Amino acid sequence: MSDKLNITNERPVWEVIKEWVKADMEARLETNLLMLVKKCLRFGRLPEGFVEEFIFSSDLFAALPKSKRNHLIDYMNKILKKKQPKKQTSEILKTTDEHQHCFKPPPYSRSLTPFCPRETKQLLVCLNYNYRQLQTMVEYYDYQLKLWWPSPFFPMPPGEAGIFSLQATDDGRRLFLFGGYAQRVSVAATWTIDLSQPLDNSPPVWTLKCPMLTARYHFSSVQLDGAFLYALGGETQENCIIADCERYDIATDCWTAISPMNVARSKAAAAVLGGRIYIAGGCCPIATSESGNKYLTTVEVYDPQTNRWQLVAPMTTARIRFALVPFEGRLWAIAGQTTGRSWLTQLSSCESYDPQTDTWREEPAKLNKEHSSHQAVNFRGQLYLVGGERGEVNHQFNKCIF
């Protein structure tokens, strides 16, 4: 049974199994039915009640010897662990149907097939954390079912760093985690994990790589051409907002300094469009004796060929803790926080930048609720907004998507 089936539920798979066995009941029932059910059905993607309604109530199940029926019942009871449906943690700008799941995958084991999505070459993965308790969890999104699942594919990252950056190579085979803040100390460490090994092998592990030149947090990061990672601005251990930038060469495992930005900024957003790196918004220290930070509308673009930053047209709204994502040839700045009566003034608005005309425009599409500290991705032609804060009570973050 192909792993590339574009199906929103597992019933067609069961129907194919059933019809194939019925074509030669005598030869296939006892020999093949149990094997096909275990191998081909994705139990984690089954809706609640499917097993009882379609498998245990089928004439094929009734025709099995009692010992084999009991074996199948024991197997499914063991592997399917019921749980309450999970509230969705993503907001999709294009409307999609609501779905719920009722089973959770087991911890990493050699038999992950029942909980794999049908298409594993394109996954939306989140590494999320609660910055108050530094609780970390990895989830993946099954876009066919429109569901989030706790991931058994790879372990948690090392340490207890928060406010870190995490990027993936173009082929999605390797993840890189770098920088951040842990136990009141800014972090320079770089970690990587290789996901290219078959899932039925031992679980992959995180490997320590060359540290960044400057320990930092609240910085922006991008991945370019599958070969380089960039760390842009951010804050140092002394809470100093910096313009310094550096580049990591994946092939040589080396960080090198590049030209600093024109404006020092923290809590900004960055993205790649047309082979160039854009960074927008964020905050910088007020250039007076007053305390506090200034929220920015400024935007600049970096050309890797010339190693130069250039200021371009500013956004219409000053934003921090927002998402910047390329979509349909434009850069979208989505939600975030801005100046107002309170530093926690949250936004639901979006604006987009056209690099051909060097202009920003307000987009009619708005989020259903104000949002900040989130991430966004252009995934399979749709914009996905993942994680973040909605008001002062929700501090659950999903910090990486690819």
Side-chain angles (χ1 to χ4, degrees):
M1 190 66 65
S2 175
D3 286 340
K4 299 181 181 180
L5 292 177
N6 187 14
I7 54 177
T8 58
N9 64 72
E10 295 295 296
R11 183 170 180 176
V13 179
W14 166 247
E15 295 296 331
V16 169
I17 293 173
K18 186 169 65 174
E19 293 305 315
W20 184 81
V21 172
K22 283 184 175 180
D24 191 351
M25 287 277 287
E26 183 176 351
R28 297 174 178 174
L29 178 62
E30 295 189 31
T31 306
N32 299 109
L33 180 60
L34 294 181
M35 180 270 295
L36 291 173
V37 167
K38 292 180 180 181
K39 184 176 180 180
C40 297
L41 275 179
R42 297 291 195 262
F43 296 110
R45 306 175 87 236
L46 298 178
E48 189 170 12
F50 182 94
V51 172
E52 294 82 357
E53 182 178 357
F54 294 102
I55 298 180
F56 290 166
S57 300
S58 68
D59 51 355
L60 290 183
F61 183 77
L64 283 172
K66 184 177 180 180
S67 61
K68 292 188 178 292
R69 292 201 304 269
N70 290 338
H71 174 77
L72 185 57
I73 291 173
D74 291 342
Y75 174 79
M76 291 188 174
N77 285 338
K78 181 179 179 180
I79 200 169
L80 296 180
K81 299 179 180 180
K82 291 191 175 183
K83 64 177 291 187
Q84 293 298 316
K86 177 184 176 182
K87 184 178 179 181
Q88 295 295 309
T89 57
S90 67
E91 183 164 356
I92 302 175
L93 299 186
K94 293 184 178 179
T95 303
T96 60
D97 296 331
E98 290 290 333
H99 293 266
Q100 293 180 331
H101 61 71
C102 36
F103 301 114
K104 64 179 180 180
Y108 189 95
S109 68
R110 291 185 175 273
S111 180
L112 290 173
T113 301
F115 296 95
C116 292
R118 284 290 172 188
E119 173 62 82
T120 58
K121 289 186 177 180
Q122 287 185 300
L123 286 178
L124 182 61
V125 176
C126 290
L127 176 62
N128 63 55
Y129 70 94
N130 183 307
Y131 79 92
R132 287 186 171 179
Q133 289 82 32
L134 291 174
Q135 296 172 346
T136 311
M137 182 173 65
V138 181
E139 298 180 64
Y140 74 88
Y141 183 70
D142 186 332
Y143 69 87
Q144 294 172 337
L145 292 184
K146 302 179 178 66
L147 301 176
W148 285 100
W149 293 95
S151 176
F153 296 139
F154 47 91
M156 305 302 134
E160 295 184 336
I163 323 177
F164 49 77
S165 281
L166 197 147
Q167 295 288 338
T169 54
D170 286 340
D171 58 10
R173 292 180 178 273
R174 281 190 290 175
L175 298 182
F176 289 86
L177 183 151
F178 47 105
Y181 193 82
Q183 300 177 355
R184 300 184 179 183
V185 177
S186 55
V187 176
T190 303
W191 296 84
T192 186
I193 190 170
D194 186 354
L195 306 178
S196 62
Q197 300 300 319
L199 294 178
D200 56 355
N201 288 344
S202 58
V205 296
W206 290 90
T207 303
L208 188 63
K209 309 297 283 187
C210 176
M212 292 194 296
L213 302 177
T214 302
R216 63 182 82 199
Y217 62 99
H218 280 318
F219 63 99
S220 304
S221 70
V222 295
Q223 177 267 127
L224 183 63
D225 298 332
F228 301 102
L229 308 177
Y230 289 80
L232 315 172
E235 299 181 36
T236 64
Q237 177 66 36
E238 297 76 23
N239 298 323
C240 177
I241 297 177
I242 59 176
D244 297 348
C245 302
E246 51 189 293
R247 179 181 67 187
Y248 177 72
D249 188 323
I250 295 175
T252 62
D253 183 30
C254 181
W255 286 94
T256 56
I258 62 172
S259 293
M261 295 179 290
N262 294 290
V263 180
R265 61 184 81 219
S266 169
K267 303 171 187 173
V272 174
L273 181 64
R276 301 200 295 174
I277 300 170
Y278 291 81
I279 189 166
C283 60
C284 69
I286 297 175
T288 66
S289 58
E290 299 179 22
S291 61
N293 293 325
K294 175 185 177 182
Y295 288 12
L296 301 171
T297 60
T298 55
V299 182
E300 42 191 313
V301 58
Y302 175 77
D303 187 339
Q305 302 302 319
T306 62
N307 189 30
R308 292 183 60 186
W309 288 95
Q310 177 184 355
L311 289 166
V312 295
M315 295 186 293
T316 61
T317 303
R319 301 173 189 263
I320 68 169
R321 293 174 171 160
F322 67 104
L324 190 68
V325 58
F327 184 65
E328 297 181 345
R330 304 175 70 92
L331 283 177
W332 281 57
I334 303 174
Q337 295 175 352
T338 191
T339 53
R341 295 180 180 178
S342 167
W343 73 276
L344 276 175
T345 300
Q346 307 238 55
L347 297 170
S348 61
S349 63
C350 303
E351 56 185 299
S352 69
Y353 174 76
D354 184 348
Q356 301 300 320
T357 61
D358 189 29
T359 57
W360 287 85
R361 75 181 184 200
E362 289 285 343
E363 292 291 344
K366 290 187 176 183
L367 304 185
N368 295 323
K369 295 182 180 180
E370 294 80 9
H371 224 94
S372 67
S373 300
H374 51 277
Q375 294 288 309
V377 66
N378 180 355
F379 181 69
R380 300 182 66 84
Q382 291 186 323
L383 281 183
Y384 286 74
L385 179 78
V386 186
E389 293 180 300
R390 287 180 174 175
E392 299 183 28
V393 296
N394 183 357
H395 294 284
Q396 185 67 30
F397 294 77
N398 297 320
K399 294 304 291 185
C400 173
I401 45 188
F402 68 90

